Each structure stands twice: as structure tokens, then as C-alpha cells.
Amino acid sequence: MDNKKEGRNTKMSDHRSHVVVNFLVRAVLGMALIFFINQFLETKGVSLHVGLNPLTFCASGVFGVPGVALLYGITFYQGL
């Protein structure tokens, strides 16, 4: 019986670590995407800028690339 319980805990631990790693990868890639989009827009003379801060880190980590697009959409809407 203890064997089954141990197996369940390792599966839960593996799942939790998978979720954390997935979040971190999406967040770091999202921040890199924001950085490069900001640089590209700056060279084109567009004054649309999304900041690099903990809130954008979390948004890109939770939502991924669509979250980055959402951040730019919100920034565009605020500039109207």
C-alpha cells in the first residue's frame, strides 16, 4: 500500500515541476518577445511600448504569446 502512495506523490511532484518549468519557459520567451517587439517598433518610430516588469512577466507566463499580444492590445487601446 505504501508503494502506491509513493508512486502517486512522485507523479504529483513531476506534474507540479512540469507546470513550473512550462510557466518559466513561456514567461522568459514572452519577455524576450516583448523586448524585441519594443526594439522593432522603436526603429519604425511607433510609440507603442510595453514595459518589462513583474506583471508582464506573469501575463506572458500564464497566457504565452497570446498574452503578449493582449498586452500590446491593451497598450494600443490606452493610446487611443
Side-chain angles (χ1 to χ4, degrees):
M1 180 136 178
D2 288 332
N3 247 351
K4 287 182 182 180
K5 199 173 197 180
E6 245 180 64
R8 189 177 306 145
N9 286 338
T10 57
K11 286 182 184 180
M12 187 89 116
S13 176
D14 288 345
H15 176 69
R16 190 173 296 139
S17 64
H18 175 71
V19 169
V20 170
V21 168
N22 192 8
F23 172 82
L24 290 174
V25 167
R26 282 186 294 184
V28 169
L29 290 177
M31 294 300 275
L33 187 62
I34 290 170
F35 175 78
F36 287 118
I37 291 173
N38 283 343
Q39 294 297 316
F40 175 76
L41 291 175
E42 186 178 321
T43 61
K44 299 296 180 185
V46 179
S47 63
L48 190 65
H49 179 78
V50 172
L52 298 171
N53 55 49
L55 184 63
T56 58
F57 181 82
C58 290
S60 64
V62 171
F63 299 118
V65 174
V68 172
L70 178 67
L71 291 169
Y72 277 98
I74 291 169
T75 304
F76 176 75
Y77 182 74
Q78 285 179 344
L80 292 180

